Every structure is written in structure tokens, then in C-alpha cells.
């Protein structure tokens, strides 16, 4: 697509403008939010005509504000014109509810439904692109990423989870909000590829539509959420996409030294960090490339 010269110049100069935008708390009623999840939003001064949305979910003990200041998503949003939603956990220990039956069920409640309501409000309020909504997070936020991609495949176009566990691995039953599951955390909860895939499918019974693409990141020396969960998540998402657990491509030192990228068909990729602990570096640039958030025309979107 050919862009007018003035438009090209404006985009090239965009990063040079000083930003007056700031993280804002949304206090109005934004829809179903049964667990009272906090809603913070960052809208750059200059956004794309129909801006995509990135949901950035914090870790346990974290906050929306800490994830805003501790990652590069704000700066990348300034450069590329997308909106960032920073949900804020209402739970003890600031972990996300990735365990209750409600949060693991489509439109069933829990933290996951509150976050989806934030997305829908942002689409309506700010004219955002419903076909370009993405979710990423670290640790507990990675676990929520897996949950949202599994439970709401009709909302998100893609997810990227860093140091998490498979969707449903922490399942604890009805009203078991933000429960800790030691069996899963220690890497002792194992399923077959088909069993893991069925857990995802059970979250939204009857859904046979398009599935969001997915990427995962994990350190081999993670003692908080054992590295075995990386392999279990590979089984889960390859099962959902109907591809082999054996990668079609393996790339050393990608996205950096000590990392290994494995590709499993067109919609799923995984990154292993040799010697990496639970606090592996957040690969923000790699993640927004995976989501195609730098793009302004003919971009990756829902259904592609």
C-alpha cells in the first residue's frame, strides 16, 4: 500500500515527539468484572488510526504500575501507536486467578472475564481494532496469558507467555480463586498432548473457530515454575493446533545468546533460555514482532 509522503514523514518522526501521555486508571463501569480487577490503560499521544491493543499482565507481588515502569511496552507503544492495557490483580499476593472454574470457563467469571471486559471497553471507547488484540505476561501474568488464549479464543489474536504453565495446570475447582498448585508448579503434573488440548477445548464448549497464535518463553533453571512446564505447554498448544510436538525448525541464540527458538507450524513457537531462572529477561521487542505490532497496513490480525 502506497502512503502519502506527509504520512510517511509523520511516522518517521513519531518517536522524536515528547510524550505527555501517562498511565491512567479507569474508574468507570467497563462491563462484567466479578472479581473487581483493576484497570489501567496507556494510550500514547499518537496512535494508529485504528490502534491495536496489547494486554500486559504483571507477575505475582506485582502491580499494573510496576509492570508499566518495569517493561518496555510503554516506549514501544509510543513508537508504534498501539494501546496497552495493564490489568491489576485484586487477589492476595497480587497473583492472578488462573485456578477457579469461573476464570477457566468462557464468560464464567473470575479475573479472566474482567480483563476481557477491559478489552471490549477499549475497542468501543478508543476505536481500537478488535482484530488486533494481544496478551502477554510474566510468571503469574504468563499463566493468565495461557488462560485467556485458551478460554477466549474469540477475543485475542495472539499470546506470549514468559515463565508460565499450561492453561488449566493450576485448576482448583469452583471459587478457588488464585490458589497455588504445588504439583503443577514443581513440574509434576503431566498429561498427554491430547489431554492438554482437551483442557483448552473444554474451556469453551462447542467452539470450533479460529485459534490465536501463541509463543512461550522459559528458563531451564526456573525453580518457581519448573522447566518441565515448558514441555507440557508445548504439548498443550501443539495439540490445540494439531501439529507434532517435534519442531519443524530449531534456531540457536534466538532471540539472544543462550536462547533456543523452536517452531511448531505457523502458529506456535517456543523459546528456551539455558540457565535462565524464573526472572528471565522480558523479550519485549521479540514479542511485539511476533504480534506484528510495528505494522500499520496489511498486518497480522484475527483469522489470518
Amino acid at each position: 500500500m502506497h502512503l502519502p509522503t506527509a504520512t510517511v514523514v509523520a511516522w518517521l518522526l513519531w518517536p522524536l515527539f515528547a510524550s505527555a501521555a501517562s498511565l491512567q486508571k479507569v474508574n468507570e463501569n467497563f462491563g462484567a468484572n466479578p472479581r473487581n480487577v483493576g484497570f489501567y490503560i496507556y494510550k500514547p499521544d499518537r496512535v494508529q488510526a485504528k490502534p491495536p491493543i496489547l494486554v500486559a499482565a504483571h507477575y505475582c507481588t506485582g502491580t499494573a504500575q510496576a509492570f508499566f515502569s518495569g517493561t518496555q511496552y510503554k516506549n514501544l507503544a509510543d513508537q508504534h501507536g498501539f494501546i496497552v492495557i495493564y490489568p491489576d490483580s485484586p487477589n492476595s499476593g497480587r497473583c492472578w486467578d488462573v485456578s477457579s472454574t469461573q476464570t477457566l470457563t468462557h464468560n464464567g467469571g473470575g479475573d479472566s472475564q474482567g480483563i476481557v471486559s477491559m478489552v471490549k471497553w477499549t475497542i468501543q471507547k478508543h476505536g481500537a481494532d478488535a482484530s488486533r488484540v494481544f496478551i502477554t505476561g510474566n510468571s503469574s501474568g504468563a499463566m493468565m496469558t495461557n488462560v485467556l488464549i485458551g478460554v477466549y479464543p474469540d477475543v485475542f489474536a495472539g499470546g506470549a507467555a514468559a515463565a508460565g504453565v499450561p492453561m488449566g495446570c493450576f485448576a482448583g475447582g469452583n471459587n478457588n480463586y488464585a490458589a497455588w498448585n504445588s504439583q503443577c508448579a514443581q513440574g509434576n503434573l503431566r498429561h498427554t498432548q491430547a489431554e492438554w488440548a482437551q483442557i483448552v477445548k473444554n474451556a469453551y464448549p462447542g467452539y470450533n473457530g479460529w485459534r490465536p497464535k501463541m509463543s512461550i518463553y522459559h528458563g531451564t533453571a526456573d525453580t518457581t515454575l519448573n522447566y518441565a512446564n515448558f514441555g507440557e505447554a508445548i504439548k498443550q498448544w501443539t495439540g490445540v493446533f494439531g501439529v507434532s510436538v517435534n519442531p519443524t525448525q530449531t534456531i540457536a541464540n534466538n532471540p539472544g545468546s543462550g536462547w533456543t527458538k523452536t517452531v511448531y507450524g505457523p502458529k506456535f513457537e517456543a523459546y528456551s533460555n539455558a540457565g535462565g531462572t524464573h526472572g528471565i529477561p522480558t523479550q519485549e521487542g521479540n514479542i511485539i514482532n511476533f504480534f506484528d505490532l510495528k505494522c500499520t497496513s496489511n498486518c497480522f490480525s484475527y483469522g489470518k
Side-chain angles (χ1 to χ4, degrees):
M1 179 182 291
H2 178 71
L3 295 174
T5 301
T7 301
V8 173
V9 171
W11 274 89
L12 290 173
L13 291 177
W14 192 339
L16 301 179
F17 289 96
S19 174
S22 61
L23 186 68
Q24 300 293 323
K25 189 175 192 308
V26 176
N27 293 309
E28 66 183 81
N29 181 359
F30 55 84
N33 186 24
R35 294 289 297 161
N36 197 31
V37 179
F39 179 6
Y40 290 80
I41 189 168
Y42 181 74
K43 183 183 179 184
D45 295 325
R46 294 168 178 265
V47 295
Q48 297 179 31
K50 197 174 182 182
I53 297 171
L54 175 65
V55 178
H58 66 72
Y59 42 85
C60 278
T61 75
T63 62
Q65 298 96 322
F67 210 52
F68 171 76
S69 61
T71 58
Q72 292 298 312
Y73 296 120
K74 178 265 185 194
N75 295 333
L76 291 165
D78 286 337
Q79 293 175 41
H80 304 295
F82 57 87
I83 294 172
V84 191
I85 291 172
Y86 295 89
D88 199 52
S89 171
N91 303 306
S92 174
R94 312 293 295 180
C95 298
W96 292 106
D97 169 22
V98 295
S99 53
S100 75
T101 301
Q102 289 88 339
T103 208
L104 294 171
T105 304
H106 186 79
N107 290 335
D111 293 357
S112 64
Q113 188 172 25
I115 295 172
V116 166
S117 293
M118 298 174 198
V119 169
K120 293 178 178 178
W121 179 91
T122 302
I123 292 167
Q124 182 177 17
K125 182 82 171 181
H126 295 289
D129 191 342
S131 71
R132 298 180 68 201
V133 179
F134 303 94
I135 167 76
T136 188
N138 296 14
S139 187
S140 184
M143 295 158 71
M144 177 53 77
T145 297
N146 279 281
V147 167
L148 285 167
I149 293 299
V151 179
Y152 292 93
D154 54 336
V155 173
F156 295 91
V165 303
M167 181 255 161
C169 193
F170 262 47
N174 205 42
N175 298 322
N176 199 349
Y177 300 111
W180 186 259
N181 185 316
S182 295
Q183 184 185 19
C184 175
Q186 293 167 9
N188 295 322
L189 184 60
R190 308 294 177 92
H191 288 299
T192 66
Q193 184 189 47
E195 288 169 344
W196 276 123
Q198 193 60 48
I199 289 171
V200 172
K201 294 171 185 177
N202 289 345
Y204 192 173
Y207 180 80
N208 294 308
W210 187 85
R211 290 281 175 178
K213 67 178 183 176
M214 187 67 182
S215 63
I216 61 173
Y217 298 74
H218 217 113
T220 62
D222 191 332
T223 58
T224 302
L225 296 173
N226 189 279
Y227 182 69
N229 283 297
F230 182 71
E232 296 303 297
I234 289 173
K235 286 194 286 183
Q236 181 169 69
W237 294 113
T238 55
V240 168
F241 296 128
V243 297
S244 172
V245 294
N246 298 312
T248 58
Q249 190 177 14
T250 300
I251 307 169
N253 297 316
N254 185 309
S257 179
W259 289 88
T260 301
K261 175 182 179 179
T262 45
V263 180
Y264 305 81
K267 296 181 72 174
F268 178 56
E269 56 189 41
Y271 297 84
S272 176
N273 183 213
T277 63
H278 190 59
I280 53 174
T282 303
Q283 300 294 331
E284 294 100 331
N286 204 56
I287 288 168
I288 71 158
N289 285 337
F290 181 66
F291 294 154
D292 206 18
L293 284 171
K294 295 180 181 180
C295 176
T296 57
S297 65
N298 301 318
C299 310
F300 173 78
S301 60
Y302 192 92
K304 288 189 177 181

